Amino acid sequence: MNVHFDEKAPRDTQVLVDTQAIRENFRNIKEMCGETTAVMPVIKANAYGHGAAEIARVLYEEGAVYLAVATLTEALELRAASDDYPLFILGHTPDRLLDRVVENRITQTVFSFRQAELLSALAEDRGVKARVHLKVDTGFHRLGTDDVEELRKILSLPGLEVEGIFSHLALAGYEDDMAQFDKFMKIADELEKGGFRFRYRHIADSIACVDYPEFRLDMVRPGALVFGLKGFHKGHIEIRQAIGMVTKISQLHRIPKGEGVSYDYCWKAPKDSVIATLPFGYADGYPRNMRDKGYVTIRGMKCPLVGVLCMDQCMADVTHVPGVSEGDIAVIYGDGTDNTMDIQEASELAGTNKNEIIARIMARPVRVYY
């Protein structure tokens, strides 16, 4: 794989982001969904570790209808970056902060008449309308309501522009997914019987928008898909991973057989060994349980991580790497070529999913966009 290391960056541990891959992934999603379905990319959790500010700019340039986040703090970060971004909060915003939603022209998820009424009053005080989407609980039981009468009351509030209605799938299996979809459509249809028309109905995330074409409706909400991570099973779309992570060897230690490494000497050298210290650790978001399972790639060779991973550093066995030197690049996450570990493999080794691996990458490592 090609490593785009920035020698001028203030730290050797760097997250590499291929913005062209993100552009191409997004274009392929739009092409797959067709002209009648809007695409709202989800860039919560610092754009799944890729860096929200830069990714927002890229996707806005590509014509994203909305940029979706989970929290008001995430939305305000992006509003500070641009007054033009169309922002959507997927999660709950506490009552005391709703005025900031109105002030910053952010589209808000609502699922109770009480909060909708408060938001409506705040908007009327400012002489504007607050744009909202209704969240329907179709069986996930996280956020939302299935009380049609309560939702109908929200539609009548004078300070709101109710633009859309949406739900989220539990993805428990085809029959359960279809049951949720049918419930969602029944509730949306019931609310529209009086002549109201939702501009956007949406229920499809990254997986559903590929696997269930009939679920795409007026809008889809791809997250991991935008960043090139595959979770779908039935459909197909061309995407490629956009993220990588690299560092450089800080120091080499030549240690005799039987010598311990790191806390508690949980690993001891089985023979005379060469150990590389690498300047990244679990405070950078690398899974601590990767000890004795994870590896980095140095000079094209897999080098196992040994000993307990530290907060800011870890160690790798490089005994078998010819010519290894301090300052050599170590690939933490790659694209799966040249003996590098891609995000799929990392998730399997860590016993989690791909989204957690990238979302947990902290802001501390330098982002390098290319």
Side-chain angles (χ1 to χ4, degrees), residues 9 104 164:
N104 287 280

Side-chain angles (χ1 to χ4, degrees), residues 169 177-178 181 202-204 208 212-217 219-220:
L169 298 169
D177 294 341
M178 286 303 302
F181 179 74
H202 47 113
I203 195 171
Y212 303 122
E214 67 271 33
F215 287 13
R216 292 171 189 162
L217 302 174
M219 176 180 278
V220 294

Side-chain angles (χ1 to χ4, degrees), residues 263 282 285-291 307-311 360:
Y263 292 112
Y282 62 81
Y286 193 80
R288 193 169 183 266
N289 69 350
M290 292 282 257
R291 185 191 88 201
V308 174
L309 271 76
C310 308
M311 181 177 285
R360 72 191 298 169

Side-chain angles (χ1 to χ4, degrees), residues 15-321:
V15 174
L16 311 180
V17 180
D18 182 348
T19 57
Q20 186 60 30
I22 291 173
R23 289 182 189 275
E24 291 173 3
N25 294 341
F26 187 69
R27 291 169 188 172
N28 290 343
I29 294 167
K30 290 204 299 182
E31 183 178 0
M32 176 187 70
C33 292
E35 294 182 359
T36 60
T37 299
V39 180
M40 173 167 64
V42 179
I43 58 171
K44 61 186 179 179
N46 197 26
Y48 289 59
H50 294 68
E54 180 65 15
I55 301 309
R57 183 188 66 79
V58 168
L59 293 172
Y60 180 65
E61 289 176 356
E62 289 296 322
V65 173
Y66 269 117
L67 301 170
V69 295
T71 67
L72 176 63
T73 51
E74 292 176 335
L76 292 178
E77 176 190 356
L78 295 180
R79 177 56 74 231
S82 173
D83 200 46
D84 296 328
Y85 289 159
L87 302 175
F88 187 107
I89 295 176
L90 292 162
H92 170 251
T93 298
D95 291 352
R96 70 182 186 280
L97 300 173
L98 288 175
D99 194 46
R100 300 190 70 181
V101 171
V102 178
E103 176 188 358
N104 287 280
R105 296 173 291 104
I106 299 166
T107 301
Q108 176 65 48
T109 293
V110 295
F111 47 85
S112 75
F113 178 75
R114 181 199 58 75
Q115 189 172 57
E117 188 175 36
L118 175 57
L119 189 59
S120 174
L122 290 168
E124 285 196 290
D125 286 345
R126 288 181 174 269
V128 299
K129 283 185 179 289
R131 185 175 294 171
V132 302
H133 286 216
L134 306 181
K135 182 67 181 287
V136 178
D137 181 10
T138 55
F140 201 175
H141 303 317
R142 190 171 62 180
L143 288 179
T145 180
D146 59 0
D147 186 333
V148 175
E149 290 308 312
E150 183 172 21
L151 293 169
R152 186 174 283 122
K153 286 170 61 180
I154 295 173
L155 294 178
S156 67
L157 290 169
L160 299 186
E161 178 190 344
V162 184
E163 181 186 51
I165 185 169
F166 73 111
S167 189
H168 200 291
L169 298 169
L171 298 170
Y174 178 74
E175 291 186 2
D176 290 308
D177 294 341
M178 286 303 302
Q180 281 192 261
F181 179 74
D182 290 343
K183 181 175 181 178
F184 173 67
M185 295 302 290
K186 182 179 178 180
I187 289 175
D189 288 342
E190 184 68 24
L191 291 171
E192 289 190 339
K193 278 184 179 179
F196 184 85
R197 170 65 180 151
F198 293 107
R199 182 177 182 185
Y200 297 117
R201 300 183 184 196
H202 47 113
I203 195 171
D205 64 348
S206 287
I207 294 173
C209 77
V210 180
D211 283 349
Y212 303 122
E214 67 271 33
F215 287 13
R216 292 171 189 162
L217 302 174
D218 308 301
M219 176 180 278
V220 294
R221 306 187 305 267
L225 200 63
V226 174
F227 303 108
L229 302 184
K230 299 178 180 179
F232 49 86
H233 306 287
K234 301 175 184 178
H236 177 74
I237 183 174
E238 287 295 331
I239 54 173
R240 57 191 175 94
Q241 181 183 306
I243 200 168
M245 192 170 176
V246 299
T247 192
K248 283 188 174 184
I249 297 175
S250 302
Q251 188 176 9
L252 291 174
H253 298 267
R254 302 183 184 278
I255 64 174
K257 177 180 178 180
E259 196 82 1
V261 170
S262 194
Y263 292 112
D264 300 323
Y265 291 160
C266 292
W267 184 88
K268 293 186 178 181
K271 60 182 180 180
D272 292 352
S273 301
V274 182
I275 302 300
T277 301
L278 303 168
F280 76 95
Y282 62 81
D284 295 301
Y286 193 80
R288 193 169 183 266
N289 69 350
M290 292 282 257
R291 185 191 88 201
D292 299 328
K293 294 186 289 185
Y295 64 88
V296 294
T297 303
I298 299 171
R299 297 194 174 207
M301 304 189 75
K302 294 182 178 181
C303 302
L305 300 179
V306 296
V308 174
L309 271 76
C310 308
M311 181 177 285
D312 313 300
Q313 300 174 89
C314 62
M315 279 64 78
D317 185 352
V318 296
T319 309
H320 59 296
V321 181

